[in-house]
């Protein structure tokens, strides 16, 4: 997968420019973003090339000529070009389903966040079903909705618009070149700046089970031909290819299959071994990606996978639904080749039998897209507000295809394993997430835990990168546990557990154990994390900034309210044992320096921040090209390289004024969310 490298500042990288300290100080931001919007620079501030306008006497021609005038923003340009006081968007909207909810959220986002005049050509009729029963929200937001009997009558539908003009058109309806042509030609007549077409990721023809990016070959579907027509017409197009969609205003549900079986205490049949990855995207996140393209010249001429960046497996999805319903689920894996073709579809299983998941990396790079929703967190409200509220628990469900599979799989299990697994063994089989095909039934407990189940414990210091390694890994594999923060001066707790003062320490039914990588090896039973690659460039970079990092990080650790330093004894223990450059460890701990003198050295290092922060900012620009993408630093996928690098980078967010390059910022934010380990931005000093 190709990645785009940010070229800003590259003339300075690799050598210390005499003006670098001055330039970097002007650009420092505590939380940079990857995209510039409306003439803004990184982090949302005005770009440095746009100085503040100066005052002048309007009656002085020379003064007016020499004055600095306010630059026209891109948004102002678009409004002027469209002949309107502000930008206007037309959404051509289908009847409902996942695409229907995308249009609902998109209209609200364009009207609210982008302050656009929004009009919808809505295919009717209005039957009061989701999302149409929530269209009162659109009315309150000032969105105009024209209900049309059929969008296949473009003359009548376009006629409903009167003399209205638009700067952007979003086609969320067309399925063929014949359907899209009249609306595309209408857009051409207005010289729109964006024509966004929402097609489908179903057009892809993946040749492997690997993640699918936009370069994957496509089938010649009607939607693909519609995409090609937009390019032929010369429109400023962007294609958006959503995959599996969910949301609160949705009629169709991909999760109903799982809930139908879980709430009725029936087995959930999952094809193959259940480790297939899938992306399920909240419709509001789909809409946010499309909204990010409006007025963004980087989006023009591009295709985007319109999906979340968060993956889950089929088996994990069953676990999310079990937790949401508060039930125990029984998974039954089966091999589709053992049955007549179409058995999986007949059963109503919502996904493909093999892995099929797309990459949203391109949208992250070009549009600054980052999802705000995670199905793991959303399954609970989805169960209550969608499935249960719509009568899912009481509806009639045909389980005949399930019974066909169950009869054959059940006999196979009996033949292979006369001694059936106990319920406890079956639960452990789920928790271990066996990495080999396992046909038959496995018990899946609700992932929320129960009152009579004691969670495993992880003893940590918040600042410790080795502790962060394990915390991040636990978040990635989704293993619920109890987090115990020890005081930095607490010798008794770790010594009782493992015989010496170390962290992290993992304690489960097998007893306590130390060493971060050993703990990770134990908890990652499904081998989600690839082994470390042995990259020397990352190690060399880490060594090159070791002194700067210690001077910037260590004084801050004891100044901010981290749990291990909430008492003076904890802070003293850290300062006493962690040297400040240029001191070596033996010299620092040898006893010549009293604790007061050590604190003075820490304070001296903190006062060097004005000099050191620009140096670390430049060093981060050297690191940025070494990171492959926001989802993993080493090409090939998530690995122990990420566990180590992210754990070491986390603490840079404690440094106020540090400029973090866009790709590194996205990398940090991605794992903060996915691994459930918070960054330090809110307490940066």
């Amino acid at each position: 997968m190709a990645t785009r490298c940010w070229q800003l500042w590259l003339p300075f990288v690799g050598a210390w420019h005499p003006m670098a300290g001055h330039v970097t100080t002007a650009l420092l931001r505590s939380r940079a973003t990857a995209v510039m919007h409306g003439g803004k620079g990184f982090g949302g501030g005005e770009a440095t090339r746009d100085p503040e306008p100066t005052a002048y006497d309007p009656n002085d021609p020379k003064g007016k000529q020499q004055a600095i005038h306010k630059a026209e923003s891109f948004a102002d340009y678009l409004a002027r070009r469209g002949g309107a006081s502000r930008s206007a968007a037309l959404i051509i909207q289908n009847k409902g389903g996942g695409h229907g909810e995308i249009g609902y959220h998109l209209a609200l986002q364009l009207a609210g966040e982008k302050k656009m005049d929004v009009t919808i050509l809505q295919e009717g009729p209005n039957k009061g079903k989701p999302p149409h029963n929530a269209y009162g929200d659109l009315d309150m937001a000032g969105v105009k909705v024209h209900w049309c009997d059929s969008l296949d009558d473009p003359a009548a539908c376009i006629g409903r618009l009167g003399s209205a003009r638009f700067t952007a058109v979003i086609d969320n309806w067309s399925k063929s070149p014949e359907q899209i042509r009249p609306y595309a030609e209408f857009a051409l007549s207005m010289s729109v700046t964006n024509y966004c077409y929402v097609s489908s990721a179903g057009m892809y023809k993946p040749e492997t089970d690997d993640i699918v990016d936009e370069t994957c070959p496509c089938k010649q579907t009607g939607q693909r031909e519609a995409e090609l027509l937009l390019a032929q017409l010369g429109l400023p197009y962007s294609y958006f290819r959503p995959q599996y969609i969910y949301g609160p205003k949705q009629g169709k549900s991909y999760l109903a299959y799982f809930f139908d079986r879980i709430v009725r205490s029936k087995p959930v049949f999952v094809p193959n071994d259940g480790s297939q990855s899938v992306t399920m995207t909240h419709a509001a996140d789909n809409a946010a990606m499309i909204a990010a393209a409006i007025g963004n010249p980087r989006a023009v001429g591009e295709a985007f996978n319109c999906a979340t960046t968060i993956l889950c497996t089929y088996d994990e999805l069953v676990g999310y639904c079990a937790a949401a319903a508060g039930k125990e689920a029984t998974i039954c894996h089966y091999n589709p080749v053992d049955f007549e073709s179409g058995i999986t579809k007949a059963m109503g299983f919502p996904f493909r039998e093999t892995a099929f998941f797309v990459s949203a990396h391109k949208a992250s790079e070009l549009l600054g897209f980052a999802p705000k929703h995670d199905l793991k967190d959303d399954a609970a409200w989805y169960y209550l507000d969608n499935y249960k509220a719509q009568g899912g628990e009481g509806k009639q469900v045909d389980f005949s295809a399930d019974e066909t599979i169950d009869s054959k799989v059940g006999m196979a299990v009996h033949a292979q394993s006369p001694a059936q697994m106990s319920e406890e063994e079956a639960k452990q089989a789920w928790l271990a997430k066996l990495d080999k095909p396992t046909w038959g039934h496995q018990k899946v407990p609700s992932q929320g835990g129960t009152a009579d189940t004691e969670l495993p414990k992880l003893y940590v210091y918040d600042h410790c990168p080795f502790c962060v390694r394990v915390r991040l890994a636990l978040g990635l594999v989704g293993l619920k546990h109890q987090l115990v923060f020890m005081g930095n001066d607490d010798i008794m707790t770790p010594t009782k557990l493992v015989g010496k003062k170390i962290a992290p320490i993992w304690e489960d039914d097998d007893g306590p154990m130390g060493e971060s990588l050993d703990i990770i090896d134990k908890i990652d039973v499904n081998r989600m994390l690839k082994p470390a690659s042995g990259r020397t460039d990352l190690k060399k970079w880490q060594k090159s900034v070791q002194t700067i990092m210690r001077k910037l990080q260590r004084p801050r650790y004891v100044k901010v309210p981290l749990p291990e330093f909430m008492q003076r004894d904890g802070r003293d223990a850290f300062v006493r044992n962690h040297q400040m450059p240029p001191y070596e460890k033996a010299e620092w701990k040898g006893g010549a320096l009293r604790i007061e003198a050590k604190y003075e050295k820490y304070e001296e290092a903190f006062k060097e921040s004005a000099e050191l922060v620009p140096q670390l900012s430049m060093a981060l620009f050297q690191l940025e090209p070494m990171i492959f993408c926001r989802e993993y630093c080493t090409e090939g996928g998530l690995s122990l390289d990420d566990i180590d690098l992210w754990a070491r980078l986390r603490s840079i967010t404690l440094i106020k004024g540090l400029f973090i390059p866009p790709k590194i910022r996205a990398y940090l934010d991605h794992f903060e969310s996915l691994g459930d380990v918070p960054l330090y931005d809110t307490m940066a000093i």
Side-chain angles (χ1 to χ4, degrees):
M1 185 191 307
T3 57
R4 297 172 182 265
C5 296
W6 290 83
Q7 300 300 317
L8 181 67
W9 293 73
L10 286 185
F12 294 174
V13 174
W16 184 251
H17 192 282
M19 289 297 291
H22 302 284
V23 178
T24 53
T25 302
L27 286 181
L28 293 180
R29 298 286 185 270
S30 65
R31 196 168 181 86
T33 54
V35 180
M36 303 182 195
H37 294 288
K40 301 286 184 178
F42 291 123
E46 292 292 338
T48 53
R49 65 175 183 275
D50 293 334
E52 290 293 322
T54 56
Y56 63 92
D57 183 351
N59 298 315
D60 179 6
K62 186 174 182 180
K64 182 176 181 180
Q65 182 182 33
Q66 294 178 345
I68 297 174
H69 299 272
K70 187 179 187 303
E72 181 182 42
S73 71
F74 186 59
D76 292 338
Y77 161 73
L78 294 179
R80 177 170 55 80
R81 178 174 175 178
S85 59
R86 65 178 190 170
S87 300
L90 172 66
I91 302 175
I92 305 166
Q93 182 59 48
N94 75 342
K95 290 183 179 180
H99 280 246
E101 188 169 359
I102 290 176
Y104 164 82
H105 289 290
L106 179 61
L108 290 177
Q109 291 175 19
L110 294 179
E113 298 170 19
K114 292 218 162 191
K115 309 301 181 186
M116 298 182 75
D117 294 322
V118 181
T119 300
I120 297 179
L121 281 180
Q122 176 68 57
E123 185 176 33
N126 182 0
K127 296 183 179 181
K129 295 182 178 180
H132 305 150
N133 57 359
Y135 270 27
D137 300 339
L138 302 185
D139 185 57
M140 292 181 63
V143 176
K144 299 177 183 177
V145 180
H146 295 288
W147 287 91
C148 304
D149 292 335
S150 173
L151 291 175
D152 277 315
D153 186 357
C157 295
I158 293 173
R160 300 284 298 275
L161 301 173
S163 60
R165 307 274 298 175
F166 303 96
T167 53
V169 172
I170 302 94
D171 189 324
N172 195 23
W173 168 75
S174 297
K175 297 292 190 292
S176 69
E178 293 77 20
Q179 288 181 328
I180 205 170
R181 180 181 287 276
Y183 295 105
E185 291 175 344
F186 174 61
L188 275 173
S189 72
M190 295 182 291
S191 299
V192 297
T193 56
N194 294 93
Y195 194 105
C196 298
Y197 175 46
V198 187
S199 55
S200 172
M203 67 176 64
Y204 286 125
K205 295 192 302 182
E207 298 175 353
T208 68
D209 289 344
D210 291 337
I211 193 166
V212 175
D213 66 15
E214 292 84 355
T215 64
C216 179
C218 295
K219 297 176 284 188
Q220 283 303 111
T221 64
Q223 289 174 317
R224 178 56 181 155
E225 292 174 358
E227 288 183 347
L228 296 174
L229 177 62
L230 295 179
Q232 293 167 8
L233 293 175
L235 277 160
Y237 70 85
S238 301
Y239 311 142
F240 292 89
R241 298 167 178 167
Q243 199 181 21
Y244 302 115
I245 306 164
Y246 74 94
K249 311 297 182 184
Q250 192 177 53
K252 178 181 178 180
S253 171
Y254 289 105
L255 300 184
Y257 170 86
F258 304 100
F259 287 130
D260 284 344
R261 287 149 181 81
I262 291 169
V263 300
R264 294 168 176 83
S265 300
K266 289 184 174 292
V268 180
F269 289 92
V270 176
N272 297 311
D273 68 353
S275 66
Q276 304 94 307
S277 292
V278 67
T279 52
M280 285 197 66
T281 309
H282 194 294
D285 285 336
N286 296 117
M289 183 187 293
I290 300 168
I294 305 299
N296 186 345
R298 302 186 74 194
V300 174
E302 300 286 354
F304 297 99
N305 287 333
C306 196
T308 182
T309 57
I310 303 170
L311 297 176
C312 68
T313 67
Y314 291 172
D315 279 2
E316 286 172 336
L317 190 52
V318 178
Y320 300 163
C321 293
K327 303 277 188 178
E328 186 179 74
T330 302
I331 290 180
C332 181
H333 293 141
Y334 67 96
N335 193 340
V337 301
D338 294 338
F339 300 89
E340 291 185 8
S341 176
I343 187 69
T344 301
K345 185 176 181 180
M347 188 171 51
F349 189 76
F351 310 123
R352 300 187 183 190
E353 293 172 340
T354 56
F356 177 51
F357 54 105
V358 298
S359 166
H361 175 67
K362 185 177 180 181
S364 299
E365 289 281 294
L366 296 186
L367 307 180
F369 168 73
K372 295 182 179 179
H373 301 268
D374 186 341
L375 182 61
K376 184 177 182 180
D377 301 322
D378 291 345
W381 65 251
Y382 193 92
Y383 168 71
L384 293 173
D385 300 338
N386 185 294
Y387 179 80
K388 190 173 182 179
Q390 294 183 23
E393 292 181 328
K395 70 179 181 181
Q396 294 294 317
V397 182
D398 181 5
F399 294 112
S400 57
D402 299 52
E403 293 165 1
T404 299
I405 297 176
D406 195 28
S407 63
K408 188 167 184 177
V409 171
M411 288 187 295
V413 171
H414 180 76
Q416 294 170 6
S417 180
Q420 296 291 317
M421 286 191 298
S422 69
E423 183 174 324
E424 181 59 31
E425 289 171 333
K427 288 181 180 179
Q428 293 305 316
W430 156 253
L431 292 174
K433 296 180 183 177
L434 297 177
D435 58 355
K436 59 184 179 181
T438 305
W439 316 122
H441 295 244
Q442 298 175 50
K443 290 291 184 181
V444 184
S446 169
Q447 297 302 289
T450 59
D452 58 351
T453 300
E454 185 173 354
L455 294 172
K457 294 183 177 69
L458 180 67
Y459 297 82
V460 298
Y461 306 128
D462 189 79
H463 75 280
C464 169
F466 303 105
C467 299
V468 175
R469 282 178 176 178
V470 181
R471 292 173 63 187
L472 178 60
L474 285 165
L476 294 175
V477 304
L479 183 53
K480 194 168 181 61
H481 60 285
Q482 182 180 348
L483 195 59
V484 181
F485 292 100
M486 300 183 290
N488 203 253
D489 61 320
D490 182 357
I491 299 175
M492 182 178 298
T493 298
T495 303
K496 280 185 176 181
L497 289 167
V498 293
K500 57 182 176 179
K501 184 182 183 298
I502 61 168
I505 298 172
W506 176 252
E507 185 181 23
D508 58 16
D509 290 342
D510 296 331
M513 64 180 294
E515 300 299 334
S516 60
L517 295 181
D518 290 343
I519 298 171
I520 293 171
D521 183 67
K522 179 176 184 178
I523 64 174
D524 185 21
V525 294
N526 202 38
R527 295 297 176 256
M528 173 188 289
L529 302 169
K530 297 178 185 295
S533 66
R535 289 178 58 178
T536 58
D537 56 341
L538 292 177
K539 294 297 182 185
K540 183 178 180 181
W541 182 87
Q542 291 173 12
K543 187 174 182 179
S544 72
V545 297
Q546 184 181 74
T547 297
I548 296 175
M549 294 278 269
R550 286 179 174 176
K551 284 190 169 186
L552 288 171
Q553 292 167 333
R554 289 181 174 177
R556 286 168 168 81
Y557 288 153
V558 295
K559 282 178 175 286
V560 299
L562 298 183
E564 58 265 36
F565 302 130
M566 294 303 289
Q567 294 177 304
R568 178 60 187 251
D569 287 345
R571 298 191 293 274
D572 287 352
F574 182 84
V575 172
R576 186 179 296 111
N577 293 301
H578 291 79
Q579 75 274 19
M580 185 58 62
Y583 287 87
E584 296 295 334
K585 181 180 289 188
E587 182 184 10
W588 185 265
K589 297 176 71 173
L593 284 175
R594 296 174 59 85
I595 186 66
E596 294 81 4
K598 291 180 178 180
Y599 270 106
E600 289 176 3
K601 298 298 181 185
Y602 268 55
E603 190 60 30
E604 290 172 5
F606 183 73
K607 291 178 179 178
E608 291 183 49
S609 294
E611 175 186 346
L612 297 175
V613 167
Q615 294 180 35
L616 183 56
S617 296
M618 297 301 296
L620 290 173
F621 275 103
Q622 294 175 326
L623 172 66
E624 189 178 37
M626 303 180 201
I627 295 178
F628 183 73
C629 66
R630 71 191 294 267
E631 290 90 2
Y632 39 86
C633 65
T634 301
E635 185 173 5
L638 185 65
S639 71
L640 289 175
D641 290 355
D642 297 295
I643 296 296
D644 182 69
L645 179 62
W646 193 89
R648 295 178 187 276
L649 288 177
R650 176 185 180 237
S651 62
I652 68 174
T653 60
L654 194 56
I655 305 170
K656 187 175 182 179
L658 183 69
F659 186 88
I660 303 176
K663 188 185 289 186
I664 297 177
R665 182 74 253 183
Y667 181 77
L668 287 167
D669 292 345
H670 173 73
F671 282 106
E672 176 189 37
S673 173
L674 206 60
D676 195 23
V677 182
L679 297 172
Y680 291 130
D681 297 281
T682 57
M683 62 173 71
I685 58 174

